[in-house]
Amino acid sequence: MRNKLKIALIVDDEHVWSHHIHELAQWANSTDCLDVTHLIIQDRSWPPDRIFLSLLRGRLIRAVTIALGKAINKLESIDVARVDPHMGRRRTYDLGKIVSGKIRVKPLVSKSGFVHRFSDQDLDKIRHEQFDLLIRCGKGILKGGILTSARLGIVSFHHGDNRVIRGGPPGFWEVYYRQPRTGFIVQRLTEELDGGGVIMRGYIPTQETQALNLTVLFNKSYHHLRTLLLQIGRTGQLPAAEAQTPFCGKLVVAPTLQQLTLYLSRYAARSFVTRVRRAFGYEERWGICFAKTQWRGAVLWRGTRIQTAAGRSLADPFVATRDGRTCVFAEDFVPCKQKGHISAFELTDGGARELGVVLKEDFHLSFPYLFTFDGKLFMCPESYEAKEIRIYECMEFPLKWKLAVVAMKNVTAADSMIFEKNGLWWLLTSINRTEPRAFCAELHLFWASTPLTSEWQPHACNPILTDPQTARNGGLLQDEGEIIRVGQCQGFRSYGASASLLRITRISPEEYAEELICRITPEFMPAIHGTHTFHSDGVYSVWDFKKWARA
């Protein structure tokens, strides 16, 4: 049996403000392969308050900029408390109660105050313990001998996509530039700032404010760090680092007063527009189009819209043809109840005819994914409110269905899809592991020998994707042996902004890979600003769109 991985946390004090670090240490010591034995405490004096320091130096504008940044962060933190209950509770966590070993070191700080090196005496104290791995949880850019003082070196977060943004502050510039996603990496530290060996990469949808963006980013990245540490603990080695590519961006720094003012004005403008729309009764509504064509030949602007009453919202269309009848199944969302059910429409050359309600439960239903097995038609609708993945069998096409099996219990999952490939059945789903209803960033894969089972095995690389640009499912196309997954693309503050068609090139219990075929963007109809589902049964193709409409 492999010995536990011996780990030390590099911190600034044994009392920390971050509940993530505290919970990481607790969790690691509860596993069978990790052991956080020591804290390496950086004993240094930190500079006085930056506002006071700037005033002393006669830099009034800089002092005002720092004060404004702090005020913005304080106000934004009030909103963050609804997502993360730890925010707003100003308290410290005593790591000393969890980790008994302590090594105090005195960093040799550069003139800039950012770079930390260590004396030979301090390095000898660290090396004497023969750590397998160090995790940077404190301040300072670590340089010199500390980088090689443990067998596997030092791993650290960079809260940003280092291929796009290097520097800081974390979580700010993605909101400022209204980027649709914010990245994070776990890297083995080297002498190059934010240019270490990347051993894990992931993304979240960019949130509306920096404080909220940073909170979601920390929650997601620390959760992924646990997955990484388990892998390292069980193999005794770091995963292979990504191949490096040239970085052509610039190093970003703290925003100027002008940039903070623009940041505030943009937020105020967005809030004003939201209030105006609400005052005039405008809400986002989804609709559905269809065309009698296979998916490759679909010309979306020629599609026929399914007409419904004003204020009604139809989305997530899936189509099936049986016994000479073609029907589209869709989420039928009732705004006043904030709950959806599944309705059916029959498609003919003359248009679409509503047939009625197909499935209605006490909980929300959407995304009525369809598949066949042993000649029978099945539906796997989204049922995250029930904390189950359910499969229904069609007893009489198209309106009569019954529950066949609960594929998974005690799981909060969205937009699940089931299909057969290479002699196995596969289940692709988006599982929420952090924030409430956060389904857009991770894609998980499971496999089984039959679809009508509750014994689904997790893929070795779960989550197989961590990227809000493609992770959430938006349909599946099967064409001459090829499996094409439709992936939703989230925009900045815009769920379901567009979609991508992605060909699955490798799939096995240990591997998964896909490649981009094309993108579907909301340009095929006037005044729409989103589309996120596309499906075809080879006879008809169906898709959805999003626009503003009076409630």
Side-chain angles (χ1 to χ4, degrees):
M1 183 177 178
R2 183 181 296 277
N3 292 331
K4 286 188 175 185
L5 200 74
K6 187 175 180 180
I7 299 172
L9 306 181
I10 303 174
V11 295
D12 301 323
D13 194 292
E14 60 184 282
H15 295 87
V16 296
W17 292 106
S18 172
H19 67 90
H20 295 104
I21 299 173
H22 184 259
E23 291 166 2
L24 179 68
Q26 280 185 319
W27 166 84
N29 288 342
S30 71
T31 68
D32 60 0
C33 59
L34 306 173
D35 190 9
V36 179
T37 63
H38 285 73
L39 302 175
I40 299 175
I41 303 169
Q42 302 186 99
D43 184 13
R44 66 160 288 187
S45 58
W46 298 98
D49 185 89
R50 290 184 300 159
I51 299 175
F52 178 69
L53 196 61
S54 295
L55 287 172
L56 282 180
R57 294 175 178 174
R59 299 168 60 186
L60 179 60
I61 293 179
R62 183 60 185 157
V64 171
T65 303
I66 295 170
L68 179 59
K70 287 187 174 183
I72 292 172
N73 182 263
K74 185 70 174 178
L75 290 172
E76 290 180 349
S77 296
I78 297 172
D79 185 55
V80 169
R82 65 183 173 84
V83 174
D84 188 342
H86 293 280
M87 287 293 291
R89 289 213 316 253
R90 197 68 176 155
R91 56 164 290 188
T92 59
Y93 299 84
D94 187 357
L95 288 176
K97 293 182 178 179
I98 305 170
V99 183
S100 58
K102 298 175 184 64
I103 300 173
R104 294 191 177 274
V105 294
K106 186 77 172 178
L108 307 175
V109 183
S110 66
K111 290 182 179 180
S112 68
F114 297 122
V115 177
H116 290 187
R117 298 180 186 272
F118 298 88
S119 68
D120 290 339
Q121 183 180 359
D122 282 342
L123 292 175
D124 286 341
K125 288 192 291 184
I126 296 171
R127 289 170 180 150
H128 175 74
E129 294 296 333
Q130 296 184 321
F131 295 113
D132 291 304
L133 184 68
L134 307 183
I135 302 176
R136 174 182 170 271
C137 301
K139 298 176 183 176
I141 300 168
L142 305 182
K143 299 282 187 178
I146 187 75
L147 300 177
T148 56
S149 59
R151 180 174 66 87
L152 300 175
I154 303 175
V155 297
S156 173
F157 282 120
H158 170 63
H159 287 104
D161 183 351
N162 71 330
R163 294 178 295 197
V164 178
I165 290 179
R166 295 188 182 183
F172 175 83
W173 294 106
E174 293 88 351
V175 180
Y176 182 83
Y177 289 117
R178 291 170 283 191
Q179 294 177 355
R181 66 182 185 179
T182 299
F184 64 88
I185 61 170
V186 178
Q187 59 184 339
R188 179 177 179 175
L189 292 183
T190 66
E191 294 287 342
E192 177 64 29
L193 176 63
D194 296 334
V198 176
I199 55 178
M200 174 175 279
R201 182 182 298 277
Y203 300 89
I204 63 164
T206 299
Q207 307 297 305
E208 187 170 13
T209 66
Q210 183 205 3
L212 184 57
N213 204 35
L214 202 57
T215 298
V216 175
L217 191 61
F218 281 1
N219 288 346
K220 184 68 71 176
S221 59
Y222 270 93
H223 199 94
H224 279 263
L225 179 60
R226 295 186 184 191
T227 303
L228 176 64
L229 289 176
L230 282 177
Q231 179 184 349
I232 298 170
R234 287 165 182 164
T235 63
Q237 298 296 327
L238 296 181
E242 289 182 1
Q244 288 189 314
T245 56
F247 176 68
C248 58
K250 64 179 181 179
L251 188 68
V252 294
V253 294
T256 64
L257 182 59
Q258 181 181 10
Q259 288 168 329
L260 283 177
T261 304
L262 183 58
Y263 173 88
L264 272 178
S265 63
R266 286 173 176 169
Y267 178 79
R270 292 195 298 266
S271 299
F272 175 75
V273 170
T274 299
R275 285 183 172 85
V276 168
R277 283 175 175 153
R278 190 176 298 148
F280 284 92
Y282 278 88
E283 295 180 356
E284 285 186 320
R285 291 285 183 266
W286 288 89
I288 292 174
C289 291
F290 67 93
K292 192 173 184 180
T293 179
Q294 46 82 27
W295 70 273
R296 292 186 186 273
V299 180
L300 272 60
W301 65 265
R302 290 177 176 167
T304 301
R305 179 178 177 179
I306 294 180
Q307 300 296 327
T308 59
R312 193 173 177 185
S313 190
L314 296 176
D316 302 341
F318 287 88
V319 62
T321 301
R322 295 181 76 84
D323 303 324
R325 301 177 70 187
T326 298
C327 295
V328 60
F329 301 84
E331 173 197 357
D332 196 341
F333 186 73
V334 183
C336 63
K337 296 182 179 180
Q338 289 295 294
K339 188 163 75 77
H341 57 267
I342 309 302
S343 293
F345 298 78
E346 185 170 4
L347 305 182
T348 66
D349 293 340
R353 179 172 67 93
E354 184 169 359
L355 299 177
V357 175
V358 170
L359 277 178
K360 198 170 189 176
E361 300 281 12
D362 294 335
F363 44 84
H364 174 76
L365 292 175
S366 62
F367 200 79
Y369 174 79
L370 303 171
F371 69 96
T372 58
F373 174 63
D374 282 349
K376 299 176 181 178
L377 183 65
F378 294 88
M379 180 188 295
C380 182
E382 176 187 300
S383 54
Y384 77 86
E385 284 188 354
K387 295 188 176 180
E388 294 177 341
I389 297 178
R390 293 178 152 218
I391 299 174
Y392 294 80
E393 181 182 348
C394 184
M395 307 305 295
E396 185 178 322
F397 187 79
L399 295 179
K400 193 172 181 181
W401 299 74
K402 73 169 185 178
L403 180 65
V405 65
V406 177
M408 290 189 189
K409 294 182 178 180
N410 301 315
V411 61
T412 309
D415 299 351
S416 303
M417 304 194 303
I418 299 172
F419 60 95
E420 185 181 18
K421 183 70 175 177
N422 299 336
L424 291 172
W425 284 86
W426 304 93
L427 189 157
L428 282 165
T429 189
S430 293
I431 294 178
N432 168 32
R433 302 190 298 168
T434 50
E435 289 73 37
R437 300 183 65 177
F439 297 112
C440 296
E442 294 183 10
L443 181 64
H444 293 247
L445 179 60
F446 300 84
W447 57 273
S449 58
T450 173
L452 303 182
T453 181
S454 57
E455 301 297 325
W456 290 91
Q457 303 301 313
H459 193 273
C461 298
N462 274 343
I464 57 171
L465 285 176
T466 306
D467 188 348
Q469 296 291 280
T470 56
R472 188 164 180 170
N473 292 322
L476 196 79
L477 305 166
Q478 302 191 47
D479 186 355
E480 298 179 354
E482 287 190 334
I483 305 291
I484 294 107
R485 186 178 72 88
V486 182
Q488 296 183 25
C489 178
Q490 317 307 328
F492 178 65
R493 299 181 66 248
S494 179
Y495 165 70
S498 59
S500 298
L501 302 191
L502 304 141
R503 181 184 292 108
I504 297 176
T505 57
R506 292 198 311 277
I507 187 167
S508 74
E510 296 80 29
E511 287 187 301
Y512 182 85
E514 59 188 24
E515 62 184 16
L516 178 67
I517 298 174
C518 68
R519 300 190 187 279
I520 299 176
T521 55
E523 302 172 52
F524 51 87
M525 287 176 62
I528 66 173
H529 61 278
T531 178
H532 72 346
T533 308
F534 185 81
H535 185 246
S536 178
D537 69 345
V539 179
Y540 279 86
S541 295
V542 292
W543 57 93
D544 60 11
F545 62 88
K546 179 175 65 170
K547 66 188 303 183
W548 291 102
R550 294 292 291 269

